[in-house]
Amino acid sequence: MAALSRTRVFLTGLAVLASVAAFAIEAPKPSRPNIVIILADDMGFSDLGCYGGEIATPNLDKLARGGLRFTQFYNAARCCPTRAALLTGLYPHQAGVGAMIKNLGTPAYQGYLNDQCVTIAEALGAHGYRTLMSGKWHVGEERPHWPTDRGFDRYFGLISGASSYFKLDKGRKMALDDQPYTPPEKNFYMTDAFTEHALAFLDEAARTNRPWFLYLAYTAPHWPLHALPEDIARYKSRYLAGWDELRAQRHAKMLKLGVIEKKWALSPRDPAAPAWADLSKEDKEQWARRMAVYAAQLTRLDQGVGRVLKKLRDTGAEENTLVIFLADNGGCHERVGATNTVTPGGPDSFMACGLPWANVSNTPFRQFKTRVHEGGIATPLIVRWPAVIKRKGWLTEQAGHIVDLMPTCLDAAGVDYPKVFQGREITPLAGKSLTPIFHGKRRAEHEEIFWEHFGNRAVRQGRWKLVALNQRDWELYDMETDRTELNNLAASRPDKAGELRARYEEWAARCGVRR
């Protein structure tokens, strides 16, 4: 009996060891991450404090200190194309939004997301994610092209493009889930409303055991210049120094931070911007007020980001949440309300900050929103994911494009990109995942990256970039030595210019780009 008992004990021990071994082999993988993408609207490359700006953005600066910043990341030059590419991982034309929301009569320019693409929300939602959106949509004005038609479980925001921050302008549309929404007549401010609904959606998501995806797309700091008095007050005198001095200050700070290189010369003040010293006292005060309101709009956005990050901490989600922040295009030079004599900032005003200040926002680059020179397409990209990104506050020079966000989200979530979705064949991805960079590795680079918007066009291949304004000649730049695009090499390197033009033409034909 004793021998039998010892045998039983031995066998029991083996069983325990076997079960432990099996557990070690079959131990559950870490839970799938939550994902947050935060998009600013019409914000320039140097506006954030952590990218060289003087605007108070402490929460985004802290986000950068806890993760990494990209110094060579690109959007698609304007709101609609960038949003289409972000959501689908395709070039805007492949998704149906090569221009804006107006249907121009061809599939690449139909003005809403087509049936040959799948959104991040659709792809993640099919694999158990709760999908949430608050903010500006602008990739489909009519049903069935709203967020809840394209995979989002919850939605609040502006279906259309720009609107007053204090009310809904005539002809614009807002929605709550799948129903039209009209904001209250009092105590409404668009930026805060987006933040508050995002927080409510996160509270709902925290009560489930499902991972979630939040897309928070602010309209700030897009025109009109509307901000709250307490935010404007902090910038009352800040911009009386003028755009020439502010560009110099930002350039010096960017060099110190390492987000640009000394060998890239600061581009000259844009020819359409007068010297600050030549303005009258009254003009200086009016222009300074415009930029003060713009800065106030961005500060309020930053406060909203801080509230979202606090919610992650409070709900225990911070460690395993991938947070990504970027802008949809460069600073905006558009003339809006140029003759408006009302003081900018309040609900009765309607104007933009103007070309000279947009030139500051895009320091050290030239050109603006809608153009595909660096000033129109270079964006900050901040990424934090504490469970994965262990090196804090670092910079990467590896180049990326807005089409890379969809594959990055799917890669992080362990979800395959579908070849077929709901019976529809889906266009293969144009983007490549950024996740190897999060682990401190080099990723497979794009052979080329392409742009086209209203005839403005470009292709980047490694160190080389070929770029042209609408109906203008091609220009060739060496991005390693001249990222501010001051030394056109098209005449001296016709071989490289010709090669890149051929690459562009191949891409344009494949994607249905209009000539």
Side-chain angles (χ1 to χ4, degrees):
M1 290 292 294
L4 182 59
S5 297
R6 286 194 296 273
T7 300
R8 286 173 177 168
V9 170
F10 176 73
L11 291 174
T12 300
L14 285 178
V16 170
L17 290 173
S19 65
V20 170
F23 179 80
I25 293 171
E26 300 173 7
K29 296 178 181 179
S31 59
R32 292 182 294 171
N34 305 305
I35 301 170
V36 180
I37 296 179
I38 305 172
L39 187 66
D41 198 341
D42 280 14
M43 187 193 80
F45 184 72
S46 69
D47 280 330
L48 301 180
C50 56
Y51 276 82
E54 72 293 327
I55 300 172
T57 55
N59 295 294
L60 287 164
D61 297 347
K62 183 177 180 181
L63 189 74
R65 290 195 299 273
L68 74 131
R69 284 164 291 163
F70 284 68
T71 61
Q72 298 198 63
F73 202 83
Y74 293 108
N75 50 47
R78 204 171 188 181
C79 45
C80 298
T82 287
R83 284 163 172 74
L86 182 157
L87 286 164
T88 67
L90 304 176
Y91 284 108
H93 313 77
Q94 295 176 298
V97 193
M100 302 292 280
I101 57 173
K102 183 179 180 180
N103 191 333
L104 301 183
T106 66
Y109 299 89
Q110 67 183 23
Y112 56 87
L113 298 179
N114 62 33
D115 289 338
Q116 289 77 55
C117 67
V118 61
T119 68
I120 299 175
E122 288 171 326
L124 292 180
H127 290 267
Y129 270 73
R130 182 82 169 150
T131 55
L132 318 167
M133 180 179 174
S134 184
K136 176 176 169 178
W137 177 241
H138 215 201
V139 285
E141 193 78 359
E142 308 294 338
R143 302 294 306 276
H145 308 297
W146 285 12
T148 53
D149 300 317
R150 296 308 305 247
F152 284 96
D153 297 320
R154 298 301 312 274
Y155 173 71
F156 170 81
L158 183 64
I159 295 293
S160 311
S163 176
S164 167
Y165 285 72
F166 298 106
K167 63 181 180 180
L168 182 61
D169 287 330
K170 184 178 180 180
R172 303 298 189 182
K173 297 178 181 179
M174 292 186 71
L176 178 58
D177 296 326
D178 61 353
Q179 297 298 311
Y181 174 87
T182 301
E185 293 184 4
K186 296 181 179 181
N187 301 320
F188 178 81
Y189 186 68
M190 191 79 74
T191 302
D192 287 347
F194 292 161
T195 299
E196 287 156 7
H197 280 81
L199 296 174
F201 293 163
L202 291 180
D203 279 332
E204 292 176 5
R207 293 193 289 270
T208 73
N209 60 358
R210 297 166 57 187
W212 47 261
F213 165 63
L214 170 66
Y215 174 35
L216 177 53
Y218 287 106
T219 50
H222 192 293
W223 52 262
L225 294 174
H226 284 166
L228 301 177
E230 60 267 31
D231 294 329
I232 299 172
R234 70 188 301 163
Y235 299 105
K236 181 179 180 181
S237 302
R238 182 64 181 89
Y239 293 101
L240 288 171
W243 42 69
D244 293 321
E245 176 62 25
L246 264 294
R247 286 189 83 225
Q249 289 179 12
R250 287 194 182 192
H251 186 247
K253 184 178 177 182
M254 296 173 85
L255 288 170
K256 184 176 180 180
L257 291 172
V259 297
I260 59 172
E261 298 187 28
K262 290 182 179 180
K263 57 188 174 184
W264 304 336
L266 174 64
S267 62
R269 181 194 333 113
D270 189 273
W276 183 261
D278 292 343
L279 299 180
S280 68
K281 181 176 182 294
E282 293 75 16
D283 283 345
K284 288 179 179 179
E285 290 175 350
Q286 172 73 354
W287 278 110
R289 172 74 180 195
R290 288 195 186 198
M291 191 59 183
V293 179
Y294 176 91
Q297 290 176 298
L298 191 50
T299 289
R300 179 61 59 159
L301 179 155
D302 180 81
Q303 292 167 5
V305 172
R307 294 173 67 188
V308 171
L309 298 178
K310 182 177 185 299
K311 180 66 68 175
L312 299 183
R313 292 193 298 273
D314 292 347
T315 57
E318 181 178 51
E319 180 70 13
N320 199 27
T321 296
L322 167 61
V323 180
I324 299 171
F325 175 89
L326 74 162
D328 67 345
N329 48 248
C332 175
H333 65 302
E334 295 166 341
R335 290 176 61 87
V336 177
T339 61
N340 193 334
T341 57
V342 177
T343 301
D348 295 330
S349 67
F350 202 98
M351 63 185 75
C353 66
L355 181 147
W357 287 123
N359 198 195
V360 174
S361 290
N362 297 337
T363 303
F365 307 124
R366 63 187 185 93
Q367 295 295 350
F368 309 95
K369 169 185 177 178
T370 74
R371 318 286 175 76
V372 292
H373 288 74
E374 295 292 284
I377 57 176
T379 175
L381 185 79
I382 303 171
V383 182
R384 190 192 72 180
W385 187 3
V388 171
I389 299 173
K390 299 302 182 182
R391 184 180 172 191
K392 310 299 183 184
W394 59 291
L395 300 167
T396 177
E397 84 292 346
Q398 294 187 60
H401 186 271
I402 192 75
V403 295
D404 297 332
L405 295 193
M406 157 70 110
T408 299
C409 292
L410 298 191
D411 193 14
V415 171
D416 292 330
Y417 181 78
K419 295 181 179 179
V420 177
F421 185 78
Q422 296 180 349
R424 312 187 310 267
E425 291 190 7
I426 301 301
T427 304
L429 276 172
K432 297 175 180 288
S433 176
L434 302 171
T435 55
I437 301 175
F438 303 166
H439 293 275
K441 302 176 182 177
R442 295 205 68 85
R443 66 156 185 165
E445 298 286 347
H446 290 275
E447 291 184 11
E448 290 91 18
I449 301 172
F450 301 94
W451 294 265
E452 187 278 334
H453 186 64
F454 285 105
N456 301 309
R457 56 210 186 276
V459 53
R460 177 163 178 182
Q461 180 193 72
R463 69 186 295 166
W464 297 104
K465 181 181 174 187
L466 191 71
V467 59
L469 295 171
N470 182 32
Q471 299 184 347
R472 300 282 292 274
D473 292 338
W474 288 101
E475 304 163 12
L476 178 67
Y477 298 102
D478 181 345
M479 293 286 103
E480 286 192 8
T481 61
D482 179 32
R483 195 176 168 210
T484 48
E485 299 171 315
L486 301 179
N487 183 24
N488 181 7
L489 302 174
S492 61
R493 288 296 309 270
D495 55 333
K496 178 55 69 173
E499 175 196 342
L500 293 182
R501 180 170 182 173
R503 295 283 191 178
Y504 175 84
E505 294 294 342
E506 292 170 3
W507 170 82
R510 176 166 52 86
C511 294
V513 174
R514 299 175 76 174
R515 306 309 169 91

